[in-house]
Amino acid sequence: MELVVALAIGVMTGSGLWLLLRPRTFQLIAGLSLLSYAVNLFIFATGGLRVGAAPILAKGETGDLARHADPLPQALVLTAIVIAFATTALLLVVLLAARGLTGTDHVDGREREPS
Amino acid sequence: MALLAFGVMTRIPPDLLGQYFLENAYTAGGGTNAVNVILVDFRSFDTLGEIAVVAAVALATFALLRRFRPAADSVDIPDQQRTLAAWEAAHPARSEGTIVADWLLVPSVIARLLFPVIGLVAVYLLLRGHDQPGGGFAAGLTASIALLLQYMIGGAQWIESRILVRPLTWMGGGLLVAVGTGLAAWPFGLPFLTSYFGYADLPLLGEVPTASALLFDIGVFMLVFGSAVLLLIALAHQSIRGRRAAPRGPAPTGESPAAGREG
């Protein structure tokens, strides 16, 4: 299980980085999203993957890491998701403006001259 | 990265910070959903900063897009749409766009009926967030989905002639509620954002956890709702302006359907 999740994180990081280095702005956004998914999944996985660990406490009970899921990575990842959403939207708008100003969606602002 | 993740996952140290939060979530925070208690209680200052960031981003997007018109489309209208437009132009009984409106009749009726239902689900998620899965963020996003579905179905002009959407008011109100909840701890001689909790029996709703963290969560809900709606509305308005900036090309002749079938 850990191996599968770790491989998924690795594949997502690799794909995200590759897309991040592509010249088109849409690929940039997709790559950044993939990269943030990979990081979120990584943070989430630091709590450990366990079966049968309840995320919700019973009333009046003090929780225990042996029986409950670690809440801290989940809380951190929730924050990270919201911030990633906001920054992605901002990046999208900035790239939209760049497309409007330069007339091309190349990250350099102009197409590469055919050589 | 995969190696790092694998290493972290297979070597969990026995004493984690999460232990403290789990032990104190109910006794000190008054909620059984430990994740939400962390967000709105133990680390509420962090959450306050986070929603401020979201609000700033939404405002920046709004300001950037306010006077901005998108570039003209680089791809022409697809053949199918051109065929439809030509057919509509040839039949005076049909005005422009009615075929698409008829196609979308069933989904649009469903989406309009779902609007109050999704709103109710959002309130439900908000109120149960302290004890069960849910919370301000999830509720805010759910509520904004309800509104955005109407935008997708009806179009920006249709919805705005019917509902007065004030995302800026929602955002400002949300931030004020969240900060006010934090300030409310000062008259009791407690540090900023100290929370109070208890259970109250509300009419119709049953027993609801009324922590002051719930007020904070309501602030988060309002702000997330306002920001998401503001962001996506700013983007949605681009489609109206785009059409105005680049008028539709001349209607194609009768040859284009045949050409479309060949291509």
Side-chain angles (χ1 to χ4, degrees), chain B residues 206-217:
Chain B
E207 197 184 22
V208 171
T210 47
S212 72
L214 180 67
L215 273 179
F216 187 76
D217 227 6

Side-chain angles (χ1 to χ4, degrees), chain A residues 59, chain B residues 26 30-32 130-131 196-202 207-211:
Chain A
K59 258 187 196 156
Chain B
Y26 192 79
T32 52
H130 215 47
D131 281 350
Y196 162 83
F197 61 89
Y199 282 85
D201 243 338
L202 290 187
E207 197 184 22
V208 171
T210 47

Side-chain angles (χ1 to χ4, degrees), chain A residues 1-3 5-7 9-11 13 38-39 42 45-49 55-66 68-72 74-76 78-80 82-83 85-87 89-90 92-94 96-101 103, chain B residues 1-6 8-10 12 14-19 21-23 25-27 31-35 38-39 43 46 50 53-54 57 60-61 64-65 68-74 131-133 137 141 199 207 228 231-232 235 238:
Chain A
M1 187 64 198
E2 277 86 0
L3 191 65
V5 175
L7 280 178
I9 291 172
V11 168
T13 312
V39 172
F42 172 68
T46 51
L49 305 171
I56 305 283
L57 307 172
K59 258 187 196 156
E61 180 192 26
T62 56
D64 182 16
L65 264 189
H68 294 98
D70 192 351
L72 191 61
Q74 300 182 24
L76 289 180
L78 194 54
T79 310
V82 176
I83 296 292
F85 165 70
T87 48
L90 190 63
L92 182 68
V93 169
V94 168
L96 207 62
R99 162 84 170 81
L101 288 177
Chain B
M1 192 74 185
L3 279 178
L4 188 66
F6 187 71
V8 168
M9 271 188 280
T10 45
I12 302 285
D15 289 327
L16 281 172
L17 195 56
Q19 177 74 30
F21 289 121
L22 273 177
E23 274 168 8
Y26 192 79
T27 47
T32 52
N33 183 352
V35 177
I38 290 177
L39 278 175
R43 293 172 53 83
D46 188 39
E50 174 195 354
V53 167
V54 173
V57 164
T61 312
L64 269 173
L65 286 181
F68 176 73
R69 285 185 181 202
D73 290 341
S74 51
D131 281 350
Q132 297 285 317
F137 286 111
L141 288 178
Y199 282 85
E207 197 184 22
L231 269 174
L232 296 166
L235 286 171
Q238 291 296 307

Side-chain angles (χ1 to χ4, degrees), chain B residues 8 12 67 93 100 120 132 145 156 168 172 194:
Chain B
V8 168
I12 302 285
R67 297 256 167 253
V100 178
L120 193 66
Q132 297 285 317
I145 284 173
L168 288 172
T194 310

Side-chain angles (χ1 to χ4, degrees), chain A residues 3-71:
Chain A
L3 191 65
V4 175
V5 175
L7 280 178
I9 291 172
V11 168
M12 274 207 284
T13 312
S15 321
L17 276 178
W18 185 74
L19 279 173
L20 208 57
L21 296 174
R22 300 291 301 161
R24 299 286 161 197
T25 48
F26 181 73
Q27 296 163 326
L28 206 70
I29 291 173
L32 209 63
S33 305
L34 269 182
L35 202 59
S36 71
Y37 291 153
V39 172
N40 284 345
L41 199 56
F42 172 68
I43 299 174
F44 190 70
T46 51
L49 305 171
R50 284 182 298 155
V51 176
I56 305 283
L57 307 172
K59 258 187 196 156
E61 180 192 26
T62 56
D64 182 16
L65 264 189
R67 286 180 295 119
H68 294 98
D70 192 351

Side-chain angles (χ1 to χ4, degrees), chain B residues 104-125:
Chain B
L104 288 177
L105 187 64
V106 172
S108 68
V109 167
I110 293 175
R112 272 163 214 167
L113 286 178
L114 274 178
F115 180 62
V117 178
I118 302 178
L120 193 66
V121 169
V123 174
Y124 174 65
L125 279 177

Side-chain angles (χ1 to χ4, degrees), chain B residues 11-195:
Chain B
R11 290 174 191 75
I12 302 285
D15 289 327
L16 281 172
L17 195 56
Q19 177 74 30
Y20 168 80
F21 289 121
L22 273 177
E23 274 168 8
N24 289 298
Y26 192 79
T27 47
T32 52
N33 183 352
V35 177
N36 197 58
V37 171
I38 290 177
L39 278 175
V40 298
D41 196 325
F42 294 122
R43 293 172 53 83
S44 50
F45 203 71
D46 188 39
T47 307
L48 190 64
E50 174 195 354
I51 59 175
V53 167
V54 173
V57 164
L59 284 177
T61 312
F62 180 62
L64 269 173
L65 286 181
R66 205 166 165 195
R67 297 256 167 253
F68 176 73
R69 285 185 181 202
D73 290 341
S74 51
V75 180
D76 212 356
I77 304 172
D79 274 334
Q80 291 86 341
Q81 282 186 26
R82 258 186 277 174
T83 315
L84 275 185
W87 193 85
E88 277 172 345
H91 292 70
R94 318 280 307 204
S95 58
E96 189 191 340
T98 45
I99 297 182
V100 178
D102 287 350
W103 276 345
L104 288 177
L105 187 64
V106 172
S108 68
V109 167
I110 293 175
R112 272 163 214 167
L113 286 178
L114 274 178
F115 180 62
V117 178
I118 302 178
L120 193 66
V121 169
V123 174
Y124 174 65
L125 279 177
L126 174 65
L127 288 181
R128 80 204 280 258
H130 215 47
D131 281 350
Q132 297 285 317
F137 286 111
L141 288 178
T142 312
S144 61
I145 284 173
L147 200 57
L148 293 167
L149 259 185
Q150 310 306 312
Y151 264 87
M152 286 164 62
I153 287 297
Q157 283 145 336
W158 184 87
I159 182 101
E160 269 159 28
S161 63
R162 280 163 181 78
I163 301 181
L164 195 59
V165 195
R166 286 242 178 89
L168 288 172
T169 316
W170 280 91
M171 285 166 55
L175 208 53
L176 277 183
V177 168
V179 174
T181 312
L183 290 181
W186 278 349
F188 300 103
L190 294 166
F192 187 59
L193 285 170
T194 310
S195 79

